[in-house]
């Protein structure tokens, strides 16, 4: 899989355009800011956008979605729970267990509530990659103290979903740099605490400086 990252906004949110090495189809993940960057890249590369995948409803991950979808003529996709509170248009409602095709490569939709009730991660078994939105980062977890966040749900997502990812998976998060699951199992103390069923400070929102 070929992955192109775009960083935008004061929170330095990550958006991605993903495609296979030999294909022209692509998915756009979490275009939060600067829609023209995504539009120009897709058009310059001659790609056919199959859809916009939104990992959750927060503005720093969805802010540019409507504009990108309008210009490129592709559907917006989001988990049905977050779609109910998202102010934009959603063309396809996703649920955990859904599968999407990217030029022969299967993308699995995993429901991972905690940061929001309808947060998802997007996994490719073939490429051994996961796009985690604000569920998990290299050294911490997404905050759970916002309106529809839940520390208990975050613990369940870590224990029932994320813990199953083997060390060779690379996680591409909604902020900061990518990390392998091997690294996460060493350095992410909040994730490890959740595996033990402990509600950590990060699961309650992290430090005051981290607003993601």
């Amino acid at each position: 899989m070929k992955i192109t990252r775009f960083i935008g906004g004061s929170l330095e949110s990550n958006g991605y355009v993903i495609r296979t090495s030999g294909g022209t189809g692509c998915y756009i993940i979490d275009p939060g800011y600067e829609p023209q960057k995504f539009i120009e890249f897709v058009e310059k590369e001659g790609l056919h956008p199959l859809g916009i995948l939104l990992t959750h409803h927060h503005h720093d991950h969805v802010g540019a979605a409507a504009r990108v979808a309008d210009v490129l003529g592709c559907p917006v996709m989001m988990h049905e729970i977050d779609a109910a509170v998202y102010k934009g248009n959603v063309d396809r409602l996703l649920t955990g267990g859904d599968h999407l095709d990217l030029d022969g490569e299967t993308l699995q939709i995993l429901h991972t509530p905690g940061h929001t009730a309808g947060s998802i991660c997007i996994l490719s078994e073939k490429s051994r990659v996961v796009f985690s939105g604000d569920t998990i980062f290299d050294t911490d977890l997404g905050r759970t103290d916002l309106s529809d966040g839940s520390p208990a749900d975050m613990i369940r997502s870590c224990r029932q979903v994320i813990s199953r990812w083997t060390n060779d998976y690379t996680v591409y998060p909604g902020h900061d740099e990518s990390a392998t699951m091997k690294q996460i199992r060493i350095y992410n103390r909040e994730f490890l605490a959740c595996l033990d069923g402990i509600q950590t400070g990060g699961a309650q929102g992290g430090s005051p400086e981290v607003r993601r």
Side-chain angles (χ1 to χ4, degrees), residues 4-9 11-17 29-33 38 55-56 60-61 131 133-134 137 171-178:
T4 303
R5 179 172 70 145
F6 298 86
I7 305 173
L11 296 180
E12 297 187 335
S13 301
N14 291 331
Y16 301 94
V17 176
I29 300 174
D30 285 357
Y33 300 94
F38 294 91
T55 61
H56 61 292
D60 58 317
H61 294 266
F131 299 90
D134 283 1
F137 306 99
V171 175
Y172 290 85
H175 303 268
D176 300 331
E177 301 297 324
S178 61

Side-chain angles (χ1 to χ4, degrees), residues 90 94 104 113 122 212:
V90 177
L94 301 173
I122 304 155
R212 60 189 185 190

Side-chain angles (χ1 to χ4, degrees), residues 141 154-155 158-159 190-198 200 203:
L141 301 171
M154 183 65 82
I155 289 173
C158 287
R159 298 181 74 176
E190 294 177 5
F191 170 64
L192 297 175
C194 279
L195 296 186
D196 292 330
I198 301 171
T200 68

Side-chain angles (χ1 to χ4, degrees), residues 8 27 114 132-133 147:
Y27 281 100
S132 64
S147 60

